[in-house]
Amino acid sequence: IDVMLFFPFFQRFIGKRWVSRWEKRYVLAEQELFILPQILKNKSIIFDIGANRGELSFFFAVGCGAEKVFSFEPQRRMFGILRGVAKKVKNITPINIAFSDSNEEKILRIPIKTTGRYTPAASFEQLSERDLKEEKVEITTVDDFVAKNNITRLDFIKCDTEGHERAVFRGAEKTLARLRPLLYIEIKDMSKVLLFDLLNSKDYRPYQWDKKTGSLIAVTATQNTQSENYYFFPLENERMVIKTLNHQ
């Protein structure tokens, strides 16, 4: 199967198969996101940055009733699977680029398992794994993509880029200032404090979902937390989101 995944037609076939599975039984991989349908606007516009095979894109498109999900995935094989998902879920638009703070080409490093199989994880950062495959990929900034595609509304950004998150949001400063989307970011410790500082300067406040209390709690960059997943809310929407959840 791994050899077959080099062929685009088979990648799309696998993507369609995943949709068939999810339509029968979908288990949300990141439990922090179960609150999202309660706090997102109806018919939202969503960016899924680091979409991988499209599992969360499916949730945003179907479970959250998004009007449109832009799903960004630079790794070629994963993008092929994502295209298969989008063939069956029409409000997903797959795009084969990566985001950073510049416009150029970069080398994407993909860890390889001992079996020789590619892993879903891939990063522009230095990785500890010794067995790596490399792909040259196109990168741009969120700000440039938004401008070129005349995007005038953006309600939510999910970002999982294996340590490259700060560069992604350095390239999104105009978008954050103008469109004020809610954010959900997986943050590695190496960039945590710097990214918190960047988003704080844009009047975004960090929260995590606390399973024990069943509520969102405010956090700081220096806290030790059990999860790498964080919500960031624009300051002007912070109280409204918390109030909405407290009245569920």
Side-chain angles (χ1 to χ4, degrees):
I1 292 177
D2 203 57
V3 173
M4 292 290 287
L5 279 172
F6 283 100
F7 297 97
F9 76 90
F10 190 70
Q11 295 165 357
R12 293 191 295 273
F13 171 76
I14 292 295
K16 292 175 183 178
R17 285 281 301 274
W18 274 114
V19 173
S20 296
R21 290 186 188 183
W22 296 332
E23 288 175 338
K24 293 175 182 176
R25 183 173 182 268
Y26 184 86
V27 178
L28 188 58
E30 298 184 16
Q31 291 301 309
E32 297 97 331
L33 285 169
F34 87 95
I35 63 173
L36 198 58
Q38 303 169 43
I39 58 179
L40 273 185
K41 298 175 183 177
N42 193 33
K43 301 293 183 182
S44 292
I45 305 298
I46 293 175
F47 279 11
D48 185 357
I49 301 175
N52 204 266
R53 67 186 178 198
E55 188 168 350
L56 287 179
S57 290
F58 176 86
F59 170 68
F60 300 145
V62 177
C64 299
E67 179 179 325
K68 191 167 189 176
V69 181
F70 293 89
S71 299
F72 304 95
E73 176 53 48
Q75 189 183 152
R76 285 193 293 269
R77 296 201 307 175
M78 284 299 163
F79 179 72
I81 297 173
L82 178 62
R83 285 182 66 195
V85 171
K87 286 285 185 182
K88 295 195 70 173
V89 185
K90 299 304 181 183
N91 50 339
I92 294 177
T93 299
I95 302 169
N96 187 212
I97 59 171
F99 285 124
S100 190
D101 53 3
S102 59
N103 292 282
E104 55 182 312
E105 288 186 336
K106 278 192 175 184
I107 298 298
L108 186 68
R109 299 174 181 87
I110 308 163
I112 305 299
K113 295 181 180 179
T114 54
T115 59
R117 292 189 173 188
Y118 281 43
T119 68
S123 179
F124 294 120
E125 308 304 316
Q126 292 296 325
L127 299 174
S128 59
E129 290 86 353
R130 296 181 63 182
D131 294 328
L132 300 169
K133 293 289 185 182
E134 295 184 343
E135 290 182 7
K136 186 179 289 187
V137 301
E138 177 190 354
I139 65 168
T140 187
T141 68
V142 170
D143 287 340
D144 282 352
F145 181 87
V146 166
K148 288 177 182 176
N149 290 276
N150 298 312
I151 294 172
T152 58
R153 180 164 65 91
L154 180 58
D155 301 294
F156 182 74
I157 296 176
K158 167 253 164 181
C159 181
D160 179 0
T161 53
E162 300 295 329
H164 202 65
E165 292 78 24
R166 180 167 172 255
V168 170
F169 287 99
R170 276 203 307 257
E173 293 190 38
K174 293 178 182 177
T175 300
L176 297 184
R178 186 168 64 90
L179 301 183
R180 308 300 283 163
L182 306 182
L183 311 176
Y184 178 80
I185 313 171
E186 179 182 294
I187 304 175
K188 305 296 183 184
D189 285 341
M190 66 187 81
S191 63
K192 186 176 176 181
V193 172
L194 293 174
L195 181 54
F196 270 57
D197 287 345
L198 172 63
L199 295 177
N200 182 63
S201 73
K202 303 302 174 187
D203 288 329
Y204 274 82
R205 299 295 179 262
Y207 281 81
Q208 282 193 321
W209 181 254
D210 183 58
K211 296 178 183 178
K212 292 182 180 179
T213 63
S215 62
L216 283 169
I217 56 172
V219 294
T220 66
T222 55
Q223 280 181 250
N224 290 321
T225 59
Q226 294 183 343
S227 174
E228 295 180 329
N229 299 321
Y230 297 84
Y231 282 98
F232 288 83
F233 301 123
L235 183 60
E236 65 274 17
N237 293 338
E238 181 182 15
R239 289 184 180 179
M240 179 195 70
V241 171
I242 302 303
K243 185 178 179 180
T244 298
L245 290 172
N246 287 342
H247 282 79
Q248 297 298 318

